[in-house]
Structure formats: C-alpha cells, structure tokens
Amino acid sequence: MATKLPKVPVVIVGMGWAGTIIASELTKAGTKVVGLERGKNRSTQDYFMVHDELRYAQRYEMMQDLSRETITFRNTEKVKSLPMRSYGSFLMGDGLGGAGIHWNGQNFRFLPYDFEIYSKTVERYGKKKIPDGMQLQDWGITYDQLEPYFDKFEKMAGISGEKEQNPMVGKRSAPFPVGPMKKSPMMKMFEDASKKLGFHPYVIPSANLADAYTNSDGISRAACQYCGFCERFGCEYGAKADPVVTVLPVAQKTGNLEVRTFSNVIRVLHTGSKATGVVYVNTMTGEEFEQPADVVVLTSYVFNNVRLLLTSKLGKPYDPQAGTGVIGKNYAYQIVGGQTVGYYDDKEFNLYMGAGALGSAIDDFNGDNFDHGSLNFLHGANIRITQTGMRPIANNPTPNGTPKWGKAFKQASIKYANRNLVVATQGSNMAWRHHYLDLDPTYKDVYGLPLLRLTYDFEDQDKELVKFMATKTSAIMKEMKPTKQETANVITTYNIVPYQSTHNTGGVIMGADPGTSAVNSYLQMWDADNVFVVGASAFPHNSGYNPTGTVGALAYRAADGLLQYLKKGGGSLV
C-alpha cells in the first residue's frame, strides 16, 4: 500500500526541459513545487570523464533501461507487436535533465505554416490536396501568439545565431542573444553552393554557446570548445544549454522546489474531471508513495505522457476505427531520408571535432516555402550540413562497392575518415488516422503495467518527400564538387532497428476543439482542468526541424497558463 504524503500545490512528473522550465517559472512566483524524476541526479561534474564513446554512445549510459520499461511496435494492425528490447530507431532518455542533457543543441522555431497547417493548406491548394487518412489539423495557436515564448526560451538558453532575419522562417521580435558559431570549411562550401543555386543558407541556431553568456536569471555559462561530444553526452563545460545548468538552479535557489530522483510515477489519481495527485515507486527500494497535489503537470517523454494517461484512464483513448477519442492520436516521427554523401580525394576535413549544432541549413524546401501544387506530398524538410563530431567507433564511411571487411575496407575507411561530407535532411512527418499509440494487450513492464504500443509505417507521402529532397541534396553536393557522390533517394518500410531520430511526437495533441485534441493552447487538458501535459506529445504533426525550441516555447506558455490558473483558482484557460 502506498504511503500518503502531505499535499503540495503542484507536482511535476519528469524533470527534463519542460518540467524544469515550468518549475523555474512557478517557484520564482512563489509556488511550492515537487518534481518527480524516475532517473538519477546529474550535475556538470558527472561529465568530467564524459568523452567515452563506448559508455555513452554505444552502451547508452543516459538512456532508459529497456529490460524494465519499453514500448512494443508494429507496422500495421495486421501484424503482431513485439517489445523493443535493444536501442535502435530512437533513444529514450533517463535521469535529471532528460533528453535536454544529451541533445545536440540544434534549436529551431517551427514555421508559421506549421501552426495553421490545415487552414493554410486548404487556402492555397484546396481540401482535395489532403489525402484520405491524413489527419492535418491546426494547433489552436498561431506563430505570432507563440513568438514571445520562443524569444523567452532562446534568451534563457543563450541560443547562438545570425543577427539577420532569415527570410524563410517566422519573423523574430529580437535577434538571437548570442552571435553565430564559427563557420567551418564545410559550412562555407555548403553555403556557397546553396547561394549559387539561388537558395538562402544560414548558420544553424545553436544551444552550444558561441561566446560566454549571462542570462536574465544571472546564470553564466562558458563558450563551446568544439570538442564534438554533444549528442548522447552531457557537456562538462556547461556550454551546451541543458536544464541542469540553466533553469533548474534558478528554481532550486528559490527554496520552493523539491526534486525527488528515482521516483517513477505509475498513476495519476483523479475523481471525475479533477486530478488529486500521483502514485510513484521509489525505484531503489520498491516503496510506493502517494503524492497529493492541487495541480498535476506531466512533462515526461512523449511515450510516457501518453502511457500515464492511458493507464490512469484519464482522457478518452483514441479509436482509429471510429476516429474518436484523443489520447494516443496523431503519433508522428521524423523523416530523415534523401541525403547525399560526397567523397573527396583532393580535400581533407577535421570531422572528429565540432559541436552538436555546428552547421548550416536552408529552408527553401521546408514547410510551404515552395509550391506543392504539382507534388505528391505536403510540407518538406530542412536541408543541412553539420559537423557534430563523428564518433570513431560508430563511423567508418566508405563509398559504395567497398568490401565490408578486410584489407580493402580498412584502407578505404582510413582514406575517407576525414574526406566525406553529408548534405542531409530533417523531414516533416504528417499524422495519419492509422498511426497511433495505445496500450499493448500482451506485454507489461516491471510494475505489471501494460507497455505502450506504437503502430506506424512510412506512407507514400514520406517516400515522395524523400525522393524530392534527394534531388535537392544531390544538386547542392554537386556544386560542392566532390570526387564522387552517392544519394539515398528511397525509403520503403519503417524499420525500428537502425537509429534514425529521437524526435517522436503526438499522442496528447493540442488544438482548439475538445473533440479533436487532448489539450488546449496552454496544454491544459480539456477533460481535467488541473492537469497540464507538456512536451512534444502536444504536436499535432512533426515539422521539418528538431523539436526542442518549440517544446521550450510551449513550456513557457504552459507556465504562464499555470500561473493564471493558480491565481484564479481553477477553470479552463480558454
């Protein structure tokens, strides 16, 4: 039986970016908050010996233990789902700071088109442009309404970027707080080639600080050293913005935040349309605790937000046959096909140095920045070149036709270790009626609770998008004049085994209609006004960008909503 603890005003489940941003804003305003984190505590000191590719990148030191909790997967309803027992397509973080610790630091704002995707698509192309089964819907908020929160996140994190307004994205109310990162030779080659083709390249906005920076909370951080250990690693310099070196210390300084690590929430308690608290397990002792609260804020990873609601029977589960319900609806992924690799016999680069967000990109073929009238897909992709620091265990690029082992492989691998460049894509992914999350009827976790089941596959939309983007990456690479180049222009069936992207979205989506969305534009549940569900689970579709900047903006807006809610003592915010 769970030990019942004293009631608190607010309990937050998951202490990654969203949870710590909200904790910071509420505690600064004087609200007492308890933050529950299922993983262990983390600080910058933990990363003094972090340059260990085997430990962190290959053995997933910072990721969830899949022997205790995982998901099941199937491509369609016609096949049996099976548990994911080793990491592949995506990584699910664990511990204080969550995915905000091991991200690359690439920070984008979703496009104005994204937030009004249904209205803008119909306005330009008509309803018939949207294929049967594709579930496009507006987000219940516009870019202009969210812009102040984008700005707030960027100033808190010290996002480094170019001063000039990029003409292909939404208008900014202020320049980036820090100037752009250095331009490496490959970035200059990419930008020169893109300009020659009439495109609009820019340096990727970065949470890896280009210069030392102090934000408005008085948090000072050092500049990036370009060591190349960002993705899957913590930053020993604190140069990469993460929750532990930015918002968490601000919240802790107020004295209003209590963080409990090793605390895995297994249920949201509720009576009717009000949550009354949560039940969590101390993962070290196995003890159960009930934490009563006036307000419950779910800020864990996409899959955990959805599963907690489903296992707690809070909100109406999505039914793909009837098209009713909302919890589990509109799962979307990230399409990363269409890249072109160039091999150089006459040039050498320093590919094993870099930073997670060091790179240049174009948005000429992202969102609705180009005419889709004659194309068999909607939206698009961000096209980029990055120098994130190639990990030597994981990377041995060789041209097609090279033997996969033996002397010839070794020779080619050594020759091209610093002689290959990749023009890649970060493609959008639309939601479909038959792509969703629900509870698996067979498999359970270590606590006896059903695993979350993912049903997903690539659609013709995704295959056409990849085919189109491949022509663009190939054209750019051709202008970069490699000795030889190879383009991957085909994707077939989604395979959960090889790593692709950790950008999973949807399942508790936002909108203006309780019939088609789970949360409103403050990420407050329609079905329980004292429950807020914050994170990429709120995205009705996924854009052609990394999601963190938009998650951060939505977290700041949710925090504003929570403060309003607490002030007026309840009720819907819209």
Side-chain angles (χ1 to χ4, degrees):
M1 185 169 176
T3 301
K4 191 168 184 176
L5 301 170
K7 190 177 182 182
V8 296
V10 177
V11 63
I12 298 176
V13 180
M15 294 302 282
W17 266 128
T20 52
I21 285 172
I22 289 170
S24 174
E25 294 300 291
L26 296 192
T27 55
K28 282 193 290 185
T31 303
K32 294 285 186 183
V33 174
V34 166
L36 300 176
E37 167 55 48
R38 68 180 177 180
K40 62 183 179 183
N41 192 24
R42 288 206 178 102
S43 70
T44 303
Q45 285 85 345
D46 293 326
Y47 313 133
F48 285 172
M49 300 295 286
V50 77
H51 293 190
D52 184 338
E53 183 184 355
L54 187 63
R55 176 181 174 187
Y56 287 95
Q58 302 299 118
R59 293 178 176 166
Y60 309 109
E61 167 78 12
M62 294 187 172
M63 308 307 164
Q64 178 178 317
D65 182 352
L66 298 182
S67 71
R68 297 174 63 84
E69 294 176 72
T70 184
I71 63 152
T72 68
F73 165 72
R74 58 183 181 175
N75 283 116
T76 72
E77 294 172 340
K78 295 177 182 174
V79 298
K80 181 176 172 56
S81 59
L82 292 170
M84 181 177 79
R85 292 299 187 196
S86 60
Y87 276 113
S89 183
F90 45 79
L91 307 176
M92 299 181 285
D94 194 48
L96 194 63
I101 299 292
H102 59 80
W103 70 315
N104 259 325
Q106 297 171 16
N107 189 86
F108 297 92
R109 299 177 174 196
F110 281 13
L111 297 163
Y113 171 70
D114 283 309
F115 300 101
E116 300 173 272
I117 190 168
Y118 176 78
S119 300
K120 296 292 184 187
T121 300
V122 171
E123 179 183 308
R124 185 168 180 180
Y125 306 106
K127 282 186 180 180
K128 289 184 179 177
K129 185 66 177 173
I130 303 172
D132 186 36
M134 182 186 282
Q135 296 192 145
L136 283 195
Q137 64 184 74
D138 296 344
W139 291 37
I141 191 170
T142 65
Y143 172 88
D144 289 343
Q145 289 173 309
L146 197 56
E147 200 282 335
Y149 302 101
F150 277 122
D151 185 62
K152 194 167 185 176
F153 179 77
E154 290 166 0
K155 286 177 175 166
M156 175 276 295
I159 300 301
S160 303
E162 294 176 329
K163 299 294 182 189
E164 300 78 18
Q165 168 71 46
N166 178 353
M168 309 305 291
V169 303
K171 294 285 185 190
R172 306 177 55 83
S173 59
F176 288 105
V178 182
M181 299 196 83
K182 298 177 186 297
K183 274 188 192 174
S184 66
M186 72 160 71
M187 292 163 65
K188 291 174 184 170
M189 290 167 62
F190 174 87
E191 293 196 3
D192 289 345
S194 297
K195 285 176 184 172
K196 194 171 179 182
L197 293 169
F199 307 149
H200 302 81
Y202 62 93
V203 176
I204 291 175
S206 167
N208 318 128
L209 275 177
D211 294 300
Y213 176 68
T214 301
N215 70 16
S216 61
D217 288 319
I219 297 292
S220 295
R221 293 164 36 228
C224 177
Q225 306 296 304
Y226 298 87
C227 71
F229 283 81
C230 297
E231 184 186 30
R232 306 189 188 187
F233 302 89
C235 179
E236 71 269 41
Y237 302 106
K240 178 174 71 174
D242 73 41
V244 174
V245 299
T246 55
V247 282
L248 185 64
V250 174
Q252 289 174 320
K253 191 177 177 182
T254 65
N256 292 325
L257 173 65
E258 180 188 354
V259 176
R260 297 179 197 151
T261 52
F262 300 113
S263 301
N264 195 348
V265 175
I266 57 172
R267 191 160 62 253
V268 178
L269 301 171
H270 59 97
T271 54
S273 61
K274 288 283 185 186
T276 57
V278 299
V279 173
Y280 68 91
V281 178
N282 181 311
T283 59
M284 302 300 285
T285 65
E287 293 176 278
E288 279 193 15
F289 296 91
E290 178 183 337
Q291 179 57 70
D294 293 324
V295 177
V296 174
V297 187
L298 304 186
T299 56
S300 55
Y301 191 58
V302 166
F303 296 133
N304 296 327
N305 279 351
V306 176
R307 191 166 80 115
L308 255 181
L309 293 174
L310 290 175
T311 55
S312 303
K313 301 186 186 309
L314 186 56
K316 188 175 181 182
Y318 175 61
D319 180 344
Q321 306 303 325
T324 59
V326 289
I327 307 301
K329 178 185 174 186
N330 279 33
Y331 167 81
Y333 193 45
Q334 192 98 65
I335 303 300
V336 294
Q339 70 175 26
T340 295
V341 185
Y343 293 95
Y344 292 80
D345 289 342
D346 59 343
K347 286 187 177 65
E348 196 164 5
F349 308 91
N350 192 3
L351 302 180
Y352 293 83
M353 296 296 287
L358 183 64
S360 295
I362 63 167
D363 282 321
D364 296 72
F365 304 100
N366 204 356
D368 202 31
N369 287 340
F370 58 113
D371 185 11
H372 291 71
S374 61
L375 301 173
N376 294 321
F377 66 91
L378 291 169
H379 213 296
N382 176 268
I383 294 176
R384 75 267 295 268
I385 193 164
T386 56
Q387 189 168 345
T388 59
M390 293 176 72
R391 299 186 291 269
I393 296 175
N395 294 285
N396 289 285
T398 56
N400 287 339
T402 304
K404 299 299 182 188
W405 59 280
K407 184 178 179 181
F409 168 74
K410 291 176 184 174
Q411 288 176 335
S413 182
I414 292 169
K415 177 180 178 180
Y416 290 109
N418 278 302
R419 295 173 182 273
N420 73 94
L421 301 182
V422 182
V423 177
T425 67
Q426 188 85 300
S428 60
N429 193 214
M430 301 299 101
W432 294 79
R433 182 169 177 158
H434 47 282
H435 294 172
Y436 60 96
L437 304 167
D438 66 353
L439 295 178
D440 192 283
T442 304
Y443 296 98
K444 294 181 168 51
D445 69 7
V446 71
Y447 306 110
L449 297 169
L451 296 181
L452 194 71
R453 179 170 63 180
L454 163 61
T455 304
Y456 176 76
D457 204 351
F458 294 142
E459 301 290 332
D460 288 343
Q461 142 89 22
D462 308 312
K463 297 168 187 172
E464 290 295 318
L465 184 150
V466 165
K467 204 181 299 179
F468 178 86
M469 293 303 158
T471 66
K472 305 305 176 187
T473 63
S474 177
I476 295 171
M477 181 57 78
K478 188 176 179 183
E479 289 296 333
M480 293 168 67
K481 304 191 185 318
T483 308
K484 63 187 85 170
Q485 68 181 66
E486 297 166 358
T487 299
N489 61 1
V490 176
I491 58 171
T492 54
T493 300
Y494 172 65
N495 181 350
I496 203 169
V497 174
Y499 183 80
Q500 291 158 70
S501 169
T502 297
H503 304 159
N504 296 285
T505 65
V508 195
I509 65 172
M510 60 191 296
D513 179 357
T516 58
S517 58
V519 293
N520 63 29
S521 65
Y522 288 96
L523 308 192
Q524 177 188 35
M525 281 193 79
W526 294 110
D527 290 340
D529 67 24
N530 67 337
V531 178
F532 291 71
V533 188
V534 187
S537 56
F539 294 3
H541 71 275
N542 200 5
S543 184
Y545 290 121
N546 306 57
T548 302
T550 300
V551 169
L554 289 173
Y556 273 111
R557 180 172 167 85
D560 258 7
L562 275 156
L563 289 170
Q564 293 176 40
Y565 181 87
L566 293 168
K567 187 176 180 182
K568 72 178 193 177
S572 175
L573 292 166
V574 298

